[in-house]
Amino acid sequence: MAMRVLTADEMRAIERDAMERGLATGRELMERAGRGAVRTIGAHWPDLEPGGARRAVVLCGPGNNGGDGFVVARHLHALGWRCDLYAMEGAGGADAAAMRAAWEPLGLVHRLGPGDRPSLEGAALIVDALFGTGLSRPVELAAIALLREAARADGGPRVVALDMPSGRCADSGRRIGPDAAEANLTLAFHAPKRGHYLGDAPDACGALRVVDIGLPDAGAGLPLIDAPRWETISKRGGHKYRHGHAVILGGASGKGGAARMAAQAALRIGAGLVTLVVPPEAIVENAARLDAVMLHAAGDAHALRGFLSDARLNAVGLGPGLGRGAATRAWVEAVLDGPRAAVLDADALTAFEDRPEALFDLLRPGDVLTPHDGEFARLFPDLALELSGEAATGPAASRIDAARAAARRAGAVILLKGPDSIVAAPDGRAALHAAVYGRAVPWLATAGAGDTLTGMITGLVARGLGGFEAVSAAVWLHVEAARRAGPGLIAEDIASALPGLFRDLAAARQ
Ligand SMILES: NC(=O)C1=CN([C@@H]2O[C@H](COP(=O)(O)OP(=O)(O)OC[C@H]3O[C@@H](n4cnc5c(N)ncnc54)[C@H](O)[C@@H]3O)[C@@H](O)[C@H]2O)[C@@H](O)CC1
Ligand SMILES: [K+]
């Protein structure tokens, strides 16, 4: 089963359900969380393991996250650590109070006031147990800056955050208020939360590990996109006409690189045939650069409509290198007026920035829009505005909410691109693709990478996948191909890495 990411509400529901079914009490869960955290810290940083005379500073908040902190302190103490506890005042629940009481025979608890910056002298570890999934408003504590500075410093104590770095929203990953902690390691209890993967939160989390606290996996949450099933992307016989005929639209002479890369990627991902349609004056340039990709000239939208009336053409990708003018709008209208599924990117989106509704009126549920953040903001300015800057209260609107709302409004599949890519369909389906932590590919931020992805999606749609499935498979393959190519990658390398990737996917299935 695909790994899933939870909201704070979903996490609370899982916990409540387990308690109602008598599987565990809240106190037992807290004990498992703290004990599991200490085990995981040891596994992640084996050099901290033997304990000895190490000093840890543990910062506890007013709720259950603080309760977890007291459990962590007790287990560190049992391993020989000296723990200095700092706790905020506030109305904690009975479980957190019990965990504090269990700590008190072992050491002092200092009061953590708004302006306090506990001394880190001699500390090897700082535990951020201030706020987790219950964060609802900005945190006003000098200790937040202390955690951030320590996490960023070379040398000095390492920072571990329980569940979330305090000040970050578990649902959106966004800062609640101006100040939020950072960590070198974040421990997610039971399952990762959405906020661990979204926006700049992965940087704030450092590394991410999940701590099992013995709760059943009920399948709740949003799926994290994993490798597509080999059966979905493999070819099982049949001649080229059985694997679809993808069409990519290209722009004026001298601007053809983007569309060529899309066309080549559509072919590499397995479309049986790919035709690049360009204005007549761009034929010579493209003919000099292409072999396996076929070429067709269309001077205007009327000619394009005529060409697309061929029923064998079953998907059209357009946008890369088209230009933003009225001609592009006319091409989009011609494509969406016909029966072929369309994948719209780049200029095909931006051409409608003045009147996005005109585009939405034409879209069909199987069409795909692949905006990056800037293009998204032009088509859905209100949704983008809700995501901008820090949030005032939690849980805050997330990129997942925005992509879902956009898919409903547009009536098409949306791929909101980024290291955290969200795919959302108008019927409510959504999934997250995370190229962060161990799968981060910063070198994928390169000219033409998006055009290649557009081609890959178009190729898979031509091969018969639905828009949502095509996007889900393509985003994973795109990142995995880029990981193979490695630093130094240019966009052409992505499609070139696909054969090796396919070979390995096929072998892994044997
Ligand atoms: N849900 C679960 O299954 C489990 C939860 N556990 C822990 O419990 C945490 C959630 O506990 P809580 O729901 O008590 O929430 P938190 O401990 O995250 O904090 C909530 C408390 O702080 C207050 N608060 C929120 N924002 C504040 C701010 N900016 N300044 C001051 N006070 C603020 C809230 O009113 C509430 O009292 C999880 O993150 C996890 O660490 C674990 O004990 C294990 C099991
Ligand atoms: K925390």
Side-chain angles (χ1 to χ4, degrees):
M1 192 161 43
M3 184 142 93
R4 286 170 179 270
V5 290
L6 303 177
T7 62
D9 260 354
E10 286 165 345
M11 182 65 218
R12 277 190 286 272
I14 291 169
E15 182 195 34
R16 201 168 46 240
D17 179 64
M19 295 197 303
E20 281 168 9
R21 288 163 57 202
L23 300 178
T25 64
R27 205 162 302 180
E28 281 163 349
L29 292 175
M30 199 175 274
E31 181 68 25
R32 290 177 200 168
R35 189 176 55 219
V38 170
R39 267 199 215 119
T40 310
I41 293 166
H44 188 74
W45 287 315
D47 55 315
L48 289 180
E49 179 66 349
R54 295 285 175 96
R55 172 175 179 238
V57 171
V58 184
L59 308 179
C60 297
N64 289 333
N65 198 248
D68 297 342
F70 283 106
V71 181
V72 165
R74 179 157 39 81
H75 286 279
L76 283 175
H77 180 87
L79 289 174
W81 285 71
R82 201 185 106 210
C83 295
D84 290 332
L85 272 282
Y86 293 83
M88 290 173 68
E89 295 204 325
D95 295 336
M99 293 313 184
R100 178 174 175 143
W103 162 260
E104 276 169 344
L106 305 176
L108 278 176
V109 179
H110 307 279
R111 179 176 176 277
L112 183 69
D116 294 336
R117 282 177 65 103
S119 161
L120 301 180
E121 187 70 37
L125 187 68
I126 315 178
V127 181
D128 168 4
L130 291 169
F131 297 101
T133 51
L135 180 76
S136 55
R137 56 187 190 274
V139 186
E140 284 155 12
L141 283 180
I144 293 291
L146 184 78
L147 288 164
R148 194 174 51 242
E149 288 155 19
R152 288 186 186 182
D154 289 330
R158 283 169 247 193
V159 181
V160 58
L162 302 189
D163 231 10
M164 279 304 283
S166 299
R168 290 268 172 181
C169 167
D171 285 12
S172 65
R174 294 166 64 193
R175 274 182 285 127
I176 305 295
D179 213 12
E182 293 179 13
N184 304 115
L185 170 64
T186 295
L187 302 176
F189 296 125
H190 174 62
K193 315 300 174 305
R194 292 178 177 189
H196 290 126
Y197 289 102
L198 297 175
D200 61 355
D203 287 338
C205 291
L208 178 67
R209 289 233 188 180
V210 176
V211 173
D212 181 15
I213 55 172
L215 289 170
D217 182 355
L222 194 82
L224 262 188
I225 292 171
D226 200 354
R229 281 161 39 88
W230 176 240
E231 289 72 16
T232 310
I233 48 175
S234 66
K235 286 185 174 174
R236 287 179 300 278
H239 56 62
K240 63 189 177 191
Y241 295 106
R242 290 212 24 216
H243 301 296
H245 189 155
V247 175
I248 302 288
L249 304 191
S253 188
K255 304 221 186 302
R260 276 197 296 278
M261 282 192 284
Q264 269 154 343
L267 205 51
R268 281 272 189 221
I269 204 114
L273 302 97
V274 177
T275 295
L276 179 63
V277 178
V278 295
E281 80 274 9
I283 285 284
V284 173
E285 168 193 325
N286 282 290
R289 300 295 317 275
L290 295 170
D291 293 311
V293 172
M294 298 184 291
L295 270 173
H296 182 86
D300 56 21
H302 179 72
L304 179 63
R305 275 175 210 264
F307 176 67
L308 291 179
S309 65
D310 182 338
R312 290 170 302 182
L313 309 174
N314 43 9
V316 185
L318 67 164
L322 278 193
R324 295 179 179 188
T328 295
R329 270 202 302 277
W331 281 42
V332 173
E333 284 158 8
V335 170
L336 294 180
D337 198 25
R340 316 284 163 251
V343 180
L344 273 59
D345 184 28
D347 295 337
L349 304 175
T350 309
F352 287 87
E353 66 182 327
D354 296 337
R355 42 188 191 111
E357 305 72 30
L359 173 62
F360 304 157
D361 284 347
L362 298 172
L363 290 166
R364 294 92 24 116
D367 293 325
V368 176
L369 271 49
T370 64
H372 57 50
D373 284 3
E375 290 153 355
F376 188 86
R378 285 179 209 127
L379 291 184
F380 308 98
D382 55 323
L383 300 177
L385 194 64
E386 282 179 29
L387 297 180
S388 65
E390 74 222 19
T393 55
S398 73
R399 284 165 62 79
I400 295 166
D401 303 321
R404 274 194 156 135
R408 265 195 309 276
R409 186 182 301 172
V413 175
I414 300 281
L415 171 63
L416 176 53
K417 293 185 290 197
D420 53 342
S421 287
I422 322 292
V423 49
D427 62 11
R429 280 176 301 165
L432 168 65
H433 180 266
V436 297
Y437 302 114
R439 294 188 76 236
V441 271
W443 52 91
L444 193 48
T446 182
D451 309 326
T452 302
L453 179 60
T454 300
M456 291 169 68
I457 297 168
T458 309
L460 288 175
V461 173
R463 293 186 55 193
L465 268 65
F468 186 85
E469 292 74 15
V471 171
S472 302
V475 282
W476 187 89
L477 293 167
H478 187 247
V479 161
E480 223 40 49
R483 292 182 68 204
R484 278 168 177 257
L489 161 131
I490 60 171
E492 284 91 332
D493 301 334
I494 301 169
S496 302
L498 284 175
L501 177 55
F502 288 158
R503 209 161 37 239
D504 290 353
L505 285 174
R509 193 182 142 269
Q510 312 289 301

